[in-house]
Amino acid sequence: MANPQEKVSFGQRLKQIGMVFRFTAKQDRWFAPLAAAAVLIPLALTVVAVILVGWIWLPIGILFALLALLIVLNLRSNKAMMNAAEGQPGAAAQIMESMRGDWRVTPAVSSTTQMDMVHLVIGRPGVILLAEGNPQRVRGLLGQEKRRLAKVIGSAPLHDYVIGQGEDELSIRKLRMTLMRLPRALSPKDVNALDKRMKALTARPQMPKGAIPKNMRPPRGAFRQTRGR
C-alpha cells in the first residue's frame, strides 16, 4: 500500500520535476511553447520594470516567471497524464497512488484473466472500490468485494465506482476531483485502524522457509504410485 506522504529531499523533488517535464513535453506538443511564454512574458515585463523603477523588481519578476511555469506544468502534465492513462489497465490505481493526501491503495484486490480488476482504496472518505474493465464483468467483481468487505469495515462508508465513459460510469479524468469532493467521514486514527483490518483480511499465509520437515514429507514411492495410475 502507498505510504502516506513520505518526506522527499530537495534533490529528489528536482528529479521528479525533471521527469514530469520530459513526460509532458513528449505527450503534449503545446507544452513547450506555453512554458516558454510563461517564462518570457514575465521576464520581459520585469526588464521594463527594472528600467523604469529599479532593480527591486528583478527578484519579483523571476519569482513570477517560476510561478507561471509551475502553473503551466501542473495544468498540462495533468492533461497529458490523463491522455496517457485513459483506457490503460490499472490506470485508476496509478492515479490514486500519485494523489496527495493519506490514500492507502491496494491495486487489483480482485481480477480476471480478461484484465478486469477492482482496486481497494482507504482514506478519509472511507473505503473506496474502483473497478476497471468490462462493465458487466466488473460489476460482478464489485458485488463480491462489497460482500467481503462488509464483514470488517463496520460503520465506515463504502463507495464504489466503475471507471469508463458509459452511463453510470466515472470518467478517469474526473476521478481525482470526484474523490476529493467526498465528505471526510473518518479521522486519521480511524483510517489507520481500518487499514490494519483490511491488511489482516487480505493477508495470505506464506510457506515457511527452509527444508520441509520430515513429518510433513510424503512417504517414499507416493509420487511413483500416483504416476502409475
Side-chain angles (χ1 to χ4, degrees), residues 116-223:
D116 308 307
M117 59 191 72
V118 176
H119 313 297
L120 171 65
V121 181
I122 302 172
R124 296 288 303 278
V127 179
I128 303 166
L129 293 174
L130 303 175
E132 294 184 275
N134 181 276
Q136 285 73 32
R137 291 194 297 262
V138 296
R139 292 189 190 280
L141 291 179
L142 272 177
Q144 295 175 10
E145 284 302 309
K146 289 167 72 173
R147 289 191 294 271
R148 188 174 70 99
L149 295 178
K151 304 174 183 178
V152 293
I153 65 174
S155 60
L158 176 60
H159 310 273
D160 61 276
Y161 301 95
V162 175
I163 305 300
Q165 298 294 333
E167 187 178 357
D168 297 328
E169 296 175 1
L170 177 63
S171 170
I172 199 167
R173 297 175 181 272
K174 299 179 180 179
L175 176 60
R176 289 189 181 194
M177 189 61 65
T178 299
L179 299 192
M180 291 299 293
R181 288 177 176 174
L182 290 176
R184 284 355 186 205
L186 302 180
S187 67
K189 185 178 180 180
D190 293 333
V191 172
N192 288 331
L194 185 58
D195 187 22
K196 291 180 180 178
R197 295 204 299 271
M198 292 293 102
K199 286 180 179 178
L201 177 66
T202 57
R204 297 177 180 175
Q206 298 181 353
M207 290 294 292
K209 296 181 180 179
I212 300 175
K214 291 183 178 181
N215 59 351
M216 294 180 61
R217 295 177 182 174
R220 290 185 178 181
F223 293 115

Side-chain angles (χ1 to χ4, degrees), residues 23-165:
F23 170 79
T24 308
K26 185 177 180 180
Q27 297 288 332
D28 184 0
R29 63 189 182 93
W30 288 104
F31 172 67
L34 289 173
V39 173
L40 294 177
I41 292 176
L43 290 181
L45 295 175
T46 300
V47 171
V48 175
V50 167
I51 294 174
L52 296 178
V53 180
W55 289 98
I56 190 174
W57 281 97
L58 181 60
I60 298 175
I62 293 174
L63 289 177
F64 269 108
L66 290 175
L67 178 60
L69 178 60
L70 290 177
I71 291 174
V72 171
L73 175 62
N74 182 56
L75 295 176
R76 304 305 293 189
S77 64
N78 285 336
K79 183 177 180 180
M81 185 173 66
M82 293 302 161
N83 289 337
E86 198 165 24
Q88 296 295 321
Q94 295 177 3
I95 291 174
M96 290 303 305
E97 290 175 335
S98 67
M99 283 180 59
R100 293 183 178 180
D102 190 2
W103 302 96
R104 321 289 177 92
V105 184
T106 305
V109 292
S110 181
S111 61
T112 68
T113 55
Q114 291 84 14
M115 300 303 291
D116 308 307
M117 59 191 72
V118 176
H119 313 297
L120 171 65
V121 181
I122 302 172
R124 296 288 303 278
V127 179
I128 303 166
L129 293 174
L130 303 175
E132 294 184 275
N134 181 276
Q136 285 73 32
R137 291 194 297 262
V138 296
R139 292 189 190 280
L141 291 179
L142 272 177
Q144 295 175 10
E145 284 302 309
K146 289 167 72 173
R147 289 191 294 271
R148 188 174 70 99
L149 295 178
K151 304 174 183 178
V152 293
I153 65 174
S155 60
L158 176 60
H159 310 273
D160 61 276
Y161 301 95
V162 175
I163 305 300
Q165 298 294 333

